[in-house]
Amino acid sequence: MELLDRYLNAVRFWLPAAQQDDIIAELGDDIRSQVEERESALGHKLDDDDVAAILKERGHPMLMASRYLPQRSLIGPVLYPAYVVVLRVVLLWVMIPVFVLIVGPVVIATAANPTAGAIQTVWNLAMANVFALGVITLVFAILERRPLRELEKWDPRKLPHVPKATFIADPAKPAAGKAIPRATSIAELICGVICTGVCMQAAWYLGGFNLDIVHVALAPVWRSVYWLILLSCVAGIPMGWFGLVWPSRIRLRSIIRLSIDAVTLIAIGVLSQAGTLLTLTSPKLSPASLAEAMRWTTLGLQIGLGAAAIVSLIDMAQEGRRYSRARW
Amino acid sequence: MNAELFENLKLELRRGCLIVAVLAHLRVEHYGYTLRKALGDAGLAVDEGTLYPLLRRLETQGLLVSEWREENKRNKRFYRLSPDGELILGQLLDEWQSINGSINRIVQGE
């Protein structure tokens, strides 16, 4: 029965070496017994189609072999939820934003061919994700094979508190007893990355830039506050990150938010004391026109700085109240 | 959906009974195929992919003993209860009766 021998050989491939002969001998005898009984009932020899039908009922060789193997898993049911969370955070909330918002623009801007730069960025992101997936899977596979003593020595009193503080996403509709909404944290994270990128690009223009026929020269004070502004932008990234990973840690997020507001106010204070913030020159405009443009630009800047200061103060007040009401 | 759910739950229920049924049948010597037929005739049909691994496990646990013998010009592996297997079977049958009694009390108590 050549078909049966082929089936048994295929099953043998997937069995542990030490048990192959024994299992195949027994399985082969069982199938031959079934064939003989069928032949006895029908009164004639079975052809290949009949034998194939019997073997198909038994199941694929890999499936048949698996029934003789012990139940094993690379990452078991206890660690699997944590594995999925780590994967999601690293691959979705770290790798993709970093590559799309920081690495990508830099590569594309410096590449001879922007399209090639974009393709290179996507490829690098894919490879980085594959590497990260492999490392994370390996780490969890190792953790799976060591005893989880941490799960035996736990104290219910050390579990995180349930947040009682409210987070007002819409002042008209206060939400009671909720942690930081995920959408807010995502928005903060993305804004932090974008603002950091824009701020880093802006460093090239601190020496001055051209707007059509007008040359804009920024006052030296901008170089002093540039690092404060950059710090505020960068701080938005961990703030969004913490909000995603620990949405109930209201106080931690408030501390970061208050720090950003404080730095913003310091920068605004320095700029307000500086006097002239920029100078406009143009070979094509009259002195009167330049003076008029200068007046309106300065007024706009003063209004902008004032508005930014008011927003920062209001935000500080709100965050201060949120901090005082949060337990965690 | 209910039929599928019932079949799955029935399978789980029968799976729990299979060990007792196999040990009970092996008070008399059988080889795999005849054991499977006997179980099927008794109303407890089981596929070979479940039975043979179970027989190996029970033998590893010392509840069965086996030997290869030639019968009808073919080598077959015959199983029967070991002394430990007989002891365990007695205990499992007592446990079975106890569970039966508990279920009956729960059902009648409703």
Side-chain angles (χ1 to χ4, degrees), chain A residues 22 26 30 36-37 58, chain B residues 33 37 52 74 77 79:
Chain A
D22 212 37
E26 194 166 28
D30 188 85
E36 283 171 3
E37 190 178 316
R58 297 275 172 151
Chain B
Y33 191 72
K37 295 281 286 177
Y52 286 105
R74 278 221 307 269
R77 190 172 187 168
Y79 294 91

Side-chain angles (χ1 to χ4, degrees), chain A residues 69-319:
Chain A
L69 303 173
Q71 291 289 323
R72 292 174 293 194
S73 55
L74 187 63
I75 299 168
V78 174
L79 286 179
Y80 189 77
Y83 169 70
V84 170
V85 167
V86 171
L87 269 186
R88 195 180 297 146
V89 167
V90 170
L91 299 188
L92 290 182
W93 303 119
V94 173
M95 296 296 224
I96 291 180
V98 165
F99 271 80
V100 170
L101 299 172
I102 299 177
V103 175
V106 171
V107 169
I108 292 168
T110 55
N113 182 342
T115 305
I119 294 171
Q120 183 66 40
T121 301
V122 171
W123 176 253
N124 289 343
L125 170 62
M127 291 299 103
N129 271 352
V130 168
F131 180 75
L133 174 67
V135 169
I136 293 168
T137 303
L138 180 63
V139 166
F140 272 86
I142 292 170
L143 288 174
E144 178 68 32
R145 277 138 191 86
R146 62 178 274 278
L148 289 176
R149 293 202 179 87
E150 293 79 9
L151 298 186
E152 295 164 13
K153 299 182 292 184
W154 71 287
D155 186 349
R157 287 164 291 194
K158 291 184 181 172
L159 291 171
H161 294 277
V162 177
K164 280 192 175 181
T166 60
F167 178 79
I168 303 175
D170 180 350
K173 298 176 188 175
K178 290 194 174 179
I180 304 160
R182 181 185 291 259
T184 302
S185 298
I186 293 170
E188 284 172 350
L189 181 64
I190 293 175
C191 285
V193 174
I194 292 174
C195 290
T196 300
V198 169
C199 201
M200 288 168 71
Q201 285 281 91
W204 296 108
Y205 302 103
L206 288 176
F209 55 94
N210 291 326
L211 274 178
D212 198 19
I213 58 173
V214 177
H215 178 76
V216 182
L218 295 176
V221 68
W222 285 101
R223 284 193 171 82
S224 305
V225 299
Y226 171 77
W227 296 106
L228 291 176
I229 297 171
L230 181 63
L231 183 63
S232 314
C233 295
V234 170
I237 298 173
M239 186 173 70
W241 168 270
F242 288 134
L244 273 178
V245 177
W246 296 301
S248 61
R249 298 292 292 269
I250 308 271
R251 283 194 157 186
L252 175 62
R253 184 186 169 281
S254 289
I255 289 171
I256 298 174
R257 188 73 177 240
L258 286 168
S259 303
I260 292 174
D261 289 333
V263 167
T264 303
L265 285 172
I266 291 171
I268 292 171
V270 171
L271 288 170
S272 301
Q273 299 293 317
T276 305
L277 294 176
L278 51 83
T279 311
L280 302 178
T281 54
S282 173
K284 296 184 181 178
L285 290 178
S286 66
S289 298
L290 273 175
E292 187 72 5
M294 188 69 194
R295 192 165 70 85
W296 284 107
T297 306
T298 304
L299 180 63
L301 275 173
Q302 286 169 344
I303 292 172
L305 288 175
I310 291 170
V311 168
S312 295
L313 285 168
I314 292 174
D315 194 62
M316 280 188 93
Q318 283 184 334
E319 282 303 324

